[in-house]
Amino acid sequence: MSTRVDAVSAETGYDWPTIVALVGLVVAFTIVAGPIGLLAGLVTALAGYALGTPYALAVGHILLVVATPGGIAPLSIALVDVAFVAVLLAPLLRTASSGRTVLVAVTSAPALAVTAWLVTRSQPTWLAATTVLVLLAVASYGLHRLALVRLGLVPASDDGDALPTDRTESTSDPATESTET
C-alpha cells in the first residue's frame, strides 16, 4: 500500500524538542515537589524516553500524586500539565500537518478539563469521572477512525459511493458453473 500518513513522522528516534520537553517536565516536577519531585520527574522522563509519551503521561501523573501526598495546588497542577502538553506536542514538530494537529490537541485538552470542572461543580465526583471517560472514549474512537481512513483501510464515508465499483468478481456460484455446459 503506498498511502503516506502525514500526521505520523517517518523518522525514528528522539529529536531535540522531545528531549527539551522531557527536561522541562523534570524541572516542573522539581518546582512542584522539591527533591522528591526531581526523582519523580527523572523517572517520568526516563519512562517517556524509553517507552514513549503515553507511558510518560501515565507514570508521571501517578508519581505526581505520590510526590505530593498532602495535596497539590491548582497552579502546581497547571505547571506540570503544561510540561506534559509540551511532551505530547514535541514529536508533532516533525510532522507535515503539525499546525492542525497541534491546534486540535491544544483546544481539546482545555475543553475536556473545563467540561470535567463544570460537571464536578454541579454533580457528584463519580458522574464527573464517568463523563470524562465517555468523552475520552468518543475522542479515542474518532482518532481510531481517522487513522483508519488516512491509512486507506476504510472508505472516508459510510455510503456505498466510496466503494470501488469496477469489481470483476462473479456473483454466481463456481460449483454450479462447472456443471453447466
Side-chain angles (χ1 to χ4, degrees), residues 59-157:
V59 168
H61 280 93
I62 291 169
L63 290 178
L64 182 62
V65 171
V66 171
T68 56
I72 186 169
L75 186 58
S76 297
I77 292 174
L79 175 66
V80 173
D81 278 339
V82 164
F84 275 121
V85 169
V87 170
L88 180 67
L89 297 180
L92 295 178
L93 297 175
R94 298 185 304 176
T95 63
S97 61
S98 64
R100 290 179 286 165
T101 308
V102 168
L103 179 66
V104 169
V106 168
T107 56
S108 299
L112 184 62
V114 167
T115 302
W117 179 72
L118 288 173
V119 174
T120 302
R121 291 185 53 102
S122 63
Q123 302 297 324
T125 304
W126 69 268
L127 187 57
T130 303
T131 302
V132 170
L133 287 175
V134 167
L135 289 174
L136 286 173
V138 169
S140 296
Y141 174 75
L143 291 173
H144 167 73
R145 178 69 182 190
L146 177 65
L148 291 177
V149 169
R150 289 189 121 188
L151 290 172
L153 299 175
V154 295
S157 65

Coordinates of all heavy atoms in Angstrom, one line a residue, residues 59-157:
V59 N 2.8 7.3 34.0 CA 3.7 7.2 35.1 C 3.8 8.6 35.8 O 3.8 8.7 37.0 CB 5.1 6.7 34.6 CG1 6.2 6.9 35.7 CG2 5.0 5.3 34.2
G60 N 3.9 9.6 35.0 CA 4.1 11.0 35.6 C 2.9 11.4 36.5 O 3.1 12.0 37.5
H61 N 1.7 11.1 36.0 CA 0.5 11.5 36.8 C 0.5 10.7 38.1 O 0.1 11.2 39.2 CB -0.7 11.5 36.0 CG -0.9 12.7 35.1 ND1 -0.5 12.7 33.8 CD2 -1.4 13.9 35.4 CE1 -0.7 13.9 33.3 NE2 -1.3 14.6 34.2
I62 N 0.8 9.4 38.0 CA 0.8 8.6 39.2 C 1.9 9.1 40.2 O 1.6 9.3 41.4 CB 1.0 7.1 38.9 CG1 -0.2 6.6 38.2 CG2 1.3 6.3 40.1 CD1 0.0 5.2 37.6
L63 N 3.1 9.4 39.7 CA 4.2 9.9 40.5 C 3.9 11.3 41.1 O 4.3 11.6 42.2 CB 5.5 9.9 39.8 CG 6.0 8.5 39.5 CD1 7.3 8.6 38.7 CD2 6.3 7.7 40.8
L64 N 3.1 12.1 40.4 CA 2.7 13.4 40.9 C 1.9 13.3 42.1 O 2.1 14.0 43.1 CB 2.0 14.2 39.8 CG 1.6 15.6 40.2 CD1 2.8 16.5 40.5 CD2 0.7 16.2 39.0
V65 N 1.0 12.3 42.1 CA 0.1 12.1 43.3 C 1.0 11.5 44.4 O 0.8 12.0 45.6 CB -1.0 11.1 42.9 CG1 -1.8 10.6 44.2 CG2 -2.0 11.7 41.9
V66 N 1.9 10.6 44.1 CA 2.8 10.1 45.1 C 3.7 11.2 45.7 O 4.0 11.2 46.9 CB 3.6 8.9 44.6 CG1 4.7 8.4 45.5 CG2 2.7 7.8 44.2
A67 N 4.2 12.0 44.9 CA 5.2 13.1 45.3 C 4.5 14.2 46.1 O 5.2 14.9 46.8 CB 5.9 13.7 44.1
T68 N 3.2 14.3 46.0 CA 2.5 15.4 46.8 C 1.4 14.7 47.6 O 0.2 15.0 47.3 CB 2.0 16.4 45.8 OG1 1.1 15.8 44.9 CG2 3.1 17.2 45.1
P69 N 1.7 14.0 48.6 CA 0.7 13.3 49.4 C -0.3 14.2 50.2 O -1.4 13.9 50.5 CB 1.4 12.4 50.3 CG 2.8 13.0 50.5 CD 3.0 13.7 49.2
G70 N 0.2 15.4 50.5 CA -0.6 16.4 51.2 C -1.5 17.2 50.4 O -2.3 18.0 50.8
G71 N -1.6 16.9 49.1 CA -2.4 17.7 48.2 C -1.5 18.6 47.3 O -0.4 18.8 47.6
I72 N -2.1 19.1 46.2 CA -1.4 19.9 45.3 C -2.3 21.1 44.9 O -3.5 20.9 44.7 CB -0.9 19.1 44.1 CG1 0.0 19.9 43.2 CG2 -2.1 18.5 43.4 CD1 0.7 19.1 42.1
A73 N -1.7 22.2 44.8 CA -2.4 23.4 44.4 C -2.8 23.4 42.9 O -2.0 22.8 42.1 CB -1.6 24.7 44.7
P74 N -3.9 24.0 42.5 CA -4.2 24.1 41.1 C -3.2 24.7 40.2 O -3.0 24.2 39.1 CB -5.5 24.9 41.1 CG -6.1 24.7 42.5 CD -4.9 24.6 43.4
L75 N -2.5 25.7 40.7 CA -1.4 26.3 39.9 C -0.3 25.3 39.7 O 0.3 25.3 38.6 CB -0.9 27.6 40.6 CG 0.1 28.4 39.8 CD1 -0.4 28.8 38.5 CD2 0.6 29.6 40.6
S76 N 0.0 24.5 40.7 CA 1.1 23.5 40.5 C 0.7 22.4 39.5 O 1.5 21.9 38.7 CB 1.4 22.8 41.9 OG 1.9 23.8 42.8
I77 N -0.6 22.0 39.6 CA -1.1 21.0 38.6 C -1.0 21.6 37.2 O -0.6 20.9 36.3 CB -2.6 20.7 38.9 CG1 -2.6 19.8 40.2 CG2 -3.2 19.9 37.8 CD1 -4.0 19.6 40.7
A78 N -1.4 22.9 37.1 CA -1.3 23.6 35.7 C 0.2 23.6 35.2 O 0.4 23.3 34.0 CB -1.9 25.0 35.8
L79 N 1.1 23.9 36.1 CA 2.5 23.9 35.7 C 3.0 22.5 35.2 O 3.6 22.5 34.1 CB 3.4 24.3 36.9 CG 4.9 24.3 36.6 CD1 5.3 25.4 35.6 CD2 5.7 24.5 37.9
V80 N 2.7 21.5 35.9 CA 3.1 20.2 35.5 C 2.3 19.7 34.2 O 2.9 19.1 33.3 CB 2.9 19.1 36.6 CG1 3.2 17.7 36.2 CG2 3.8 19.5 37.8
D81 N 1.1 20.1 34.1 CA 0.3 19.7 32.9 C 0.8 20.4 31.7 O 0.7 19.9 30.6 CB -1.2 19.8 33.2 CG -1.7 18.5 33.9 OD1 -1.0 17.5 33.9 OD2 -2.8 18.6 34.5
V82 N 1.2 21.7 31.9 CA 1.8 22.4 30.7 C 3.0 21.7 30.2 O 3.2 21.5 29.0 CB 2.1 23.9 31.1 CG1 3.0 24.5 30.1 CG2 0.8 24.6 31.2
A83 N 3.8 21.2 31.2 CA 5.0 20.4 30.8 C 4.6 19.1 30.1 O 5.2 18.7 29.1 CB 5.9 20.1 32.0
F84 N 3.5 18.5 30.6 CA 3.1 17.3 29.9 C 2.6 17.6 28.5 O 2.8 16.8 27.6 CB 2.0 16.6 30.7 CG 2.4 15.7 31.8 CD1 2.1 15.9 33.1 CD2 3.2 14.6 31.5 CE1 2.6 15.1 34.1 CE2 3.7 13.7 32.5 CZ 3.4 14.0 33.8
V85 N 1.9 18.7 28.3 CA 1.4 19.1 27.0 C 2.6 19.3 26.0 O 2.6 18.9 24.9 CB 0.5 20.3 27.0 CG1 0.2 20.9 25.7 CG2 -0.8 19.9 27.7
A86 N 3.7 19.9 26.6 CA 4.9 20.1 25.8 C 5.5 18.7 25.3 O 5.9 18.6 24.2 CB 5.9 20.9 26.5
V87 N 5.5 17.8 26.3 CA 6.0 16.4 25.9 C 5.1 15.8 24.9 O 5.6 15.1 23.9 CB 6.1 15.5 27.2 CG1 6.3 14.1 26.8 CG2 7.1 16.1 28.1
L88 N 3.8 16.0 25.0 CA 2.9 15.5 24.0 C 3.0 16.1 22.6 O 2.9 15.4 21.6 CB 1.4 15.7 24.5 CG 0.3 15.2 23.7 CD1 0.3 13.6 23.6 CD2 -1.0 15.6 24.2
L89 N 3.2 17.4 22.6 CA 3.3 18.1 21.3 C 4.7 18.1 20.6 O 4.7 18.4 19.4 CB 2.8 19.5 21.5 CG 1.4 19.7 21.9 CD1 1.0 21.2 22.1 CD2 0.4 19.0 21.0
A90 N 5.7 17.9 21.4 CA 7.1 17.9 20.8 C 7.3 17.1 19.6 O 7.8 17.5 18.6 CB 8.1 17.6 21.9
P91 N 6.8 15.8 19.6 CA 7.0 15.0 18.3 C 6.2 15.5 17.1 O 6.6 15.2 16.0 CB 6.5 13.6 18.7 CG 6.5 13.6 20.2 CD 6.3 15.0 20.6
L92 N 5.2 16.3 17.4 CA 4.4 16.8 16.3 C 5.2 17.8 15.4 O 4.8 18.1 14.3 CB 3.1 17.4 16.8 CG 2.1 16.5 17.5 CD1 0.9 17.2 18.0 CD2 1.7 15.4 16.5
L93 N 6.2 18.4 15.9 CA 7.0 19.3 15.2 C 7.7 18.7 13.9 O 8.0 19.4 13.0 CB 8.1 20.0 16.0 CG 7.6 20.8 17.2 CD1 8.7 21.3 18.1 CD2 6.7 22.0 16.7
R94 N 7.8 17.4 13.9 CA 8.4 16.7 12.8 C 7.4 16.3 11.7 O 7.7 15.7 10.7 CB 9.1 15.5 13.3 CG 10.3 15.8 14.2 CD 11.1 14.6 14.5 NE 10.2 13.6 15.1 CZ 10.7 12.4 15.4 NH1 11.9 12.1 15.3 NH2 9.9 11.5 16.0
T95 N 6.1 16.5 11.9 CA 5.1 16.0 11.0 C 4.7 17.1 10.0 O 5.0 18.3 10.2 CB 3.8 15.6 11.8 OG1 3.3 16.8 12.4 CG2 4.0 14.6 12.8
A96 N 4.2 16.6 8.9 CA 3.8 17.5 7.8 C 2.6 18.4 8.1 O 2.5 19.5 7.7 CB 3.5 16.7 6.5
S97 N 1.7 17.9 8.9 CA 0.5 18.7 9.3 C 0.5 19.1 10.7 O -0.5 18.9 11.4 CB -0.8 17.9 8.9 OG -0.8 16.7 9.6
S98 N 1.6 19.5 11.2 CA 1.7 19.8 12.7 C 0.8 20.9 13.1 O 0.3 20.9 14.3 CB 3.2 20.0 13.0 OG 3.6 21.2 12.4
G99 N 0.6 21.9 12.3 CA -0.2 23.1 12.8 C -1.6 22.7 13.1 O -2.1 23.0 14.2
R100 N -2.3 21.9 12.3 CA -3.6 21.5 12.5 C -3.7 20.5 13.7 O -4.6 20.6 14.5 CB -4.2 20.8 11.3 CG -4.5 21.8 10.2 CD -5.0 21.1 9.0 NE -3.9 20.4 8.4 CZ -4.0 19.4 7.5 NH1 -5.2 19.1 7.0 NH2 -3.0 18.9 7.0
T101 N -2.7 19.6 13.8 CA -2.7 18.6 14.9 C -2.5 19.3 16.2 O -3.2 19.0 17.2 CB -1.6 17.6 14.6 OG1 -1.8 17.0 13.3 CG2 -1.7 16.5 15.6
V102 N -1.6 20.3 16.2 CA -1.3 21.0 17.5 C -2.5 21.8 17.9 O -2.9 21.8 19.1 CB -0.1 21.9 17.3 CG1 0.0 22.9 18.5 CG2 1.2 21.1 17.2
L103 N -3.2 22.4 16.9 CA -4.4 23.2 17.2 C -5.5 22.3 17.8 O -6.1 22.7 18.8 CB -5.0 23.9 16.0 CG -6.2 24.7 16.1 CD1 -6.0 25.9 17.0 CD2 -6.8 25.1 14.8
V104 N -5.7 21.1 17.3 CA -6.7 20.2 17.8 C -6.3 19.7 19.2 O -7.1 19.7 20.2 CB -6.9 19.0 16.9 CG1 -7.7 17.9 17.6 CG2 -7.5 19.4 15.6
A105 N -5.0 19.4 19.4 CA -4.6 19.0 20.8 C -4.7 20.1 21.8 O -5.1 19.8 22.9 CB -3.1 18.4 20.7
V106 N -4.3 21.3 21.4 CA -4.3 22.4 22.4 C -5.7 22.8 22.7 O -6.0 23.2 23.8 CB -3.5 23.6 21.8 CG1 -3.7 24.9 22.6 CG2 -2.0 23.2 21.8
T107 N -6.7 22.7 21.8 CA -8.0 23.1 22.1 C -8.8 21.9 22.8 O -9.7 22.2 23.6 CB -8.8 23.5 20.9 OG1 -8.7 22.5 19.9 CG2 -8.2 24.8 20.3
S108 N -8.5 20.7 22.5 CA -9.2 19.6 23.1 C -8.9 19.4 24.5 O -9.8 19.1 25.3 CB -8.8 18.3 22.3 OG -9.2 18.4 21.0
A109 N -7.6 19.5 24.9 CA -7.3 19.3 26.3 C -8.0 20.3 27.3 O -8.6 19.9 28.2 CB -5.8 19.4 26.5
P110 N -8.0 21.6 27.0 CA -8.7 22.5 27.9 C -10.2 22.3 27.8 O -10.9 22.4 28.8 CB -8.4 23.9 27.3 CG -7.1 23.8 26.6 CD -7.2 22.4 26.0
A111 N -10.8 21.9 26.6 CA -12.2 21.7 26.5 C -12.6 20.5 27.4 O -13.6 20.5 28.1 CB -12.6 21.4 25.1
L112 N -11.8 19.4 27.5 CA -12.0 18.3 28.3 C -11.9 18.7 29.8 O -12.7 18.3 30.6 CB -11.0 17.2 28.0 CG -11.2 15.9 28.8 CD1 -12.6 15.3 28.5 CD2 -10.1 14.9 28.4
A113 N -10.9 19.5 30.1 CA -10.7 19.9 31.5 C -11.9 20.8 32.0 O -12.4 20.7 33.1 CB -9.4 20.7 31.6
V114 N -12.3 21.7 31.1 CA -13.4 22.6 31.5 C -14.7 21.8 31.7 O -15.5 22.0 32.6 CB -13.6 23.8 30.5 CG1 -14.9 24.5 30.6 CG2 -12.4 24.7 30.6
T115 N -14.9 20.9 30.8 CA -16.1 20.0 30.9 C -16.1 19.2 32.2 O -17.1 19.2 33.0 CB -16.2 19.0 29.7 OG1 -16.2 19.8 28.5 CG2 -17.4 18.1 29.8
A116 N -14.9 18.7 32.6 CA -14.8 17.9 33.8 C -15.1 18.9 35.0 O -15.7 18.5 36.0 CB -13.5 17.3 33.9
W117 N -14.5 20.1 35.0 CA -14.7 21.0 36.1 C -16.1 21.4 36.2 O -16.7 21.5 37.3 CB -13.8 22.3 35.8 CG -13.9 23.3 36.8 CD1 -13.5 23.3 38.1 CD2 -14.6 24.6 36.7 NE1 -13.8 24.5 38.7 CE2 -14.5 25.3 37.9 CE3 -15.3 25.2 35.6 CZ2 -15.0 26.5 38.1 CZ3 -15.8 26.4 35.8 CH2 -15.7 27.1 37.0
L118 N -16.8 21.7 35.1 CA -18.2 22.1 35.2 C -19.1 21.0 35.7 O -20.0 21.2 36.5 CB -18.7 22.5 33.8 CG -18.2 23.9 33.3 CD1 -18.6 24.1 31.8 CD2 -18.7 25.0 34.1
V119 N -18.9 19.8 35.3 CA -19.6 18.6 35.8 C -19.4 18.4 37.3 O -20.3 18.1 38.0 CB -19.4 17.4 34.9 CG1 -20.1 16.2 35.5 CG2 -19.9 17.6 33.5
T120 N -18.1 18.6 37.7 CA -17.7 18.4 39.1 C -18.4 19.4 40.0 O -18.8 19.1 41.1 CB -16.2 18.4 39.3 OG1 -15.6 17.5 38.4 CG2 -15.8 18.2 40.7
R121 N -18.6 20.6 39.5 CA -19.2 21.7 40.3 C -20.7 21.4 40.5 O -21.2 21.8 41.5 CB -19.0 23.0 39.7 CG -17.6 23.5 39.7 CD -17.4 24.9 39.2 NE -18.3 25.8 39.8 CZ -17.9 26.7 40.7 NH1 -16.7 26.7 41.1 NH2 -18.8 27.5 41.2
S122 N -21.3 20.7 39.6 CA -22.8 20.5 39.8 C -23.2 19.1 40.0 O -24.4 18.9 40.3 CB -23.5 21.1 38.5 OG -23.1 20.3 37.4
Q123 N -22.3 18.1 39.9 CA -22.7 16.7 40.0 C -21.7 16.0 40.9 O -20.6 16.6 41.2 CB -22.7 16.1 38.6 CG -23.6 16.7 37.6 CD -25.1 16.5 38.0 OE1 -25.5 15.6 38.6 NE2 -25.9 17.6 37.7
P124 N -22.0 14.8 41.4 CA -21.0 14.1 42.2 C -19.8 13.7 41.4 O -19.8 13.7 40.2 CB -21.8 12.8 42.6 CG -23.2 13.0 42.1 CD -23.3 14.1 41.2
T125 N -18.7 13.4 42.1 CA -17.4 13.1 41.5 C -17.5 11.9 40.6 O -16.9 11.9 39.5 CB -16.4 12.9 42.6 OG1 -16.3 14.0 43.5 CG2 -15.0 12.7 42.0
W126 N -18.3 10.9 41.0 CA -18.3 9.7 40.1 C -18.9 10.1 38.8 O -18.6 9.5 37.8 CB -19.1 8.6 40.8 CG -20.6 8.9 41.0 CD1 -21.2 9.4 42.0 CD2 -21.6 8.6 40.0 NE1 -22.5 9.5 41.8 CE2 -22.8 9.0 40.6 CE3 -21.6 8.0 38.8 CZ2 -24.0 8.9 39.9 CZ3 -22.8 7.9 38.1 CH2 -24.0 8.3 38.7
L127 N -19.9 11.0 38.8 CA -20.5 11.4 37.5 C -19.5 12.2 36.6 O -19.5 12.0 35.4 CB -21.8 12.2 37.7 CG -22.6 12.5 36.5 CD1 -23.0 11.2 35.8 CD2 -23.9 13.2 36.9
A128 N -18.8 13.0 37.3 CA -17.7 13.8 36.5 C -16.7 12.8 35.9 O -16.3 13.0 34.8 CB -17.1 14.8 37.4
A129 N -16.3 11.8 36.7 CA -15.3 10.9 36.2 C -15.9 10.1 35.0 O -15.2 9.8 34.0 CB -14.9 9.9 37.3
T130 N -17.2 9.7 35.2 CA -17.8 8.9 34.1 C -17.9 9.8 32.8 O -17.7 9.3 31.7 CB -19.2 8.5 34.5 OG1 -19.1 7.7 35.7 CG2 -19.9 7.7 33.5
T131 N -18.3 11.1 33.0 CA -18.4 12.0 31.9 C -17.0 12.1 31.1 O -17.0 12.0 29.9 CB -18.9 13.4 32.3 OG1 -20.1 13.2 33.0 CG2 -19.0 14.3 31.2
V132 N -16.0 12.3 31.9 CA -14.7 12.4 31.3 C -14.3 11.1 30.6 O -13.7 11.1 29.4 CB -13.6 12.8 32.3 CG1 -12.2 12.7 31.8 CG2 -13.9 14.2 32.8
L133 N -14.6 10.0 31.2 CA -14.3 8.7 30.5 C -15.0 8.5 29.2 O -14.5 8.0 28.2 CB -14.5 7.5 31.4 CG -13.5 7.3 32.6 CD1 -14.0 6.2 33.5 CD2 -12.1 7.1 32.0
V134 N -16.3 8.9 29.2 CA -17.1 8.8 28.0 C -16.6 9.7 26.9 O -16.4 9.3 25.7 CB -18.6 9.1 28.3 CG1 -19.4 9.3 27.0 CG2 -19.2 8.0 29.1
L135 N -16.2 11.0 27.3 CA -15.6 11.9 26.3 C -14.3 11.4 25.8 O -14.0 11.5 24.6 CB -15.4 13.3 27.0 CG -16.7 14.1 27.3 CD1 -16.3 15.3 28.0 CD2 -17.4 14.4 26.0
L136 N -13.5 10.8 26.6 CA -12.2 10.2 26.2 C -12.5 9.0 25.2 O -11.8 8.8 24.2 CB -11.4 9.7 27.3 CG -10.7 10.9 28.1 CD1 -10.0 10.3 29.3 CD2 -9.7 11.6 27.2
A137 N -13.5 8.2 25.5 CA -13.8 7.1 24.7 C -14.3 7.5 23.3 O -13.9 7.0 22.2 CB -14.9 6.2 25.3
V138 N -15.1 8.5 23.2 CA -15.6 9.1 22.0 C -14.4 9.7 21.2 O -14.3 9.4 20.0 CB -16.7 10.1 22.2 CG1 -17.0 10.9 20.9 CG2 -18.0 9.4 22.7
A139 N -13.6 10.4 21.9 CA -12.4 11.0 21.2 C -11.5 9.9 20.7 O -11.0 10.0 19.6 CB -11.7 12.0 22.1
S140 N -11.3 8.9 21.5 CA -10.4 7.8 21.0 C -11.0 7.1 19.8 O -10.2 6.7 18.9 CB -10.2 6.8 22.2 OG -9.6 7.4 23.3
Y141 N -12.3 6.8 19.8 CA -12.9 6.2 18.6 C -12.7 7.1 17.4 O -12.4 6.7 16.3 CB -14.3 5.9 18.8 CG -15.0 5.4 17.5 CD1 -14.7 4.1 17.1 CD2 -15.7 6.2 16.7 CE1 -15.2 3.6 15.9 CE2 -16.3 5.7 15.5 CZ -16.0 4.4 15.1 OH -16.5 4.0 13.9
G142 N -12.9 8.4 17.6 CA -12.7 9.3 16.4 C -11.3 9.3 15.9 O -11.1 9.3 14.7
L143 N -10.3 9.3 16.8 CA -8.9 9.2 16.3 C -8.6 7.9 15.7 O -7.9 7.8 14.7 CB -8.0 9.4 17.5 CG -8.0 10.8 18.1 CD1 -7.1 10.9 19.4 CD2 -7.5 11.8 17.1
H144 N -9.2 6.8 16.2 CA -9.0 5.5 15.6 C -9.6 5.5 14.2 O -9.0 5.0 13.2 CB -9.7 4.4 16.5 CG -9.9 3.1 15.8 ND1 -8.8 2.3 15.6 CD2 -11.0 2.5 15.3 CE1 -9.2 1.2 15.0 NE2 -10.5 1.3 14.8
R145 N -10.8 6.0 14.0 CA -11.5 6.1 12.7 C -10.7 6.9 11.7 O -10.5 6.6 10.6 CB -12.9 6.6 12.9 CG -13.7 6.8 11.6 CD -14.0 5.5 11.0 NE -14.7 5.7 9.8 CZ -15.3 4.8 9.1 NH1 -15.3 3.6 9.5 NH2 -16.0 5.1 8.0
L146 N -10.2 8.1 12.2 CA -9.4 8.9 11.4 C -8.1 8.2 10.9 O -7.7 8.3 9.7 CB -9.0 10.2 12.1 CG -8.1 11.2 11.4 CD1 -8.7 11.7 10.2 CD2 -7.6 12.3 12.3
A147 N -7.5 7.5 11.8 CA -6.3 6.7 11.4 C -6.6 5.7 10.4 O -5.8 5.5 9.4 CB -5.6 6.1 12.6
L148 N -7.7 5.0 10.5 CA -8.1 4.0 9.5 C -8.4 4.6 8.1 O -7.9 4.1 7.1 CB -9.3 3.2 10.0 CG -9.2 2.3 11.2 CD1 -10.5 1.7 11.5 CD2 -8.1 1.2 10.8
V149 N -9.0 5.8 8.1 CA -9.3 6.5 6.9 C -8.0 7.0 6.2 O -7.8 6.8 5.0 CB -10.3 7.6 7.1 CG1 -10.4 8.5 5.9 CG2 -11.6 7.1 7.5
R150 N -7.1 7.6 7.0 CA -5.8 8.1 6.5 C -5.0 7.0 6.0 O -4.2 7.2 5.0 CB -5.1 8.9 7.5 CG -5.8 10.2 7.8 CD -4.9 11.0 8.7 NE -4.7 12.2 7.9 CZ -3.8 13.2 8.3 NH1 -3.1 13.0 9.4 NH2 -3.7 14.3 7.6
L151 N -5.0 5.8 6.6 CA -4.2 4.6 6.1 C -4.9 4.0 4.9 O -4.3 3.1 4.3 CB -4.0 3.6 7.2 CG -3.1 4.1 8.3 CD1 -3.1 3.1 9.4 CD2 -1.7 4.3 7.8
G152 N -6.1 4.4 4.6 CA -6.8 3.8 3.4 C -7.4 2.4 3.7 O -7.8 1.7 2.8
L153 N -7.6 2.1 5.0 CA -8.2 0.8 5.3 C -9.7 0.8 5.3 O -10.3 -0.3 5.2 CB -7.7 0.4 6.7 CG -6.2 0.3 6.8 CD1 -5.8 0.0 8.3 CD2 -5.7 -0.8 5.9
V154 N -10.3 1.9 5.4 CA -11.8 2.1 5.3 C -12.1 3.3 4.4 O -11.3 4.2 4.3 CB -12.5 2.2 6.6 CG1 -12.3 1.0 7.5 CG2 -12.0 3.4 7.4
P155 N -13.2 3.3 3.7 CA -13.6 4.5 2.9 C -13.8 5.7 3.8 O -14.2 5.6 5.0 CB -14.8 4.1 2.2 CG -15.4 2.9 3.0 CD -14.3 2.3 3.6
A156 N -13.7 6.9 3.3 CA -13.9 8.1 4.0 C -15.3 8.3 4.5 O -15.6 9.0 5.5 CB -13.4 9.3 3.2
S157 N -16.3 7.8 3.7 CA -17.7 7.9 4.1 C -18.3 6.5 4.2 O -17.8 5.6 3.6 CB -18.4 8.8 3.0 OG -18.4 8.1 1.8

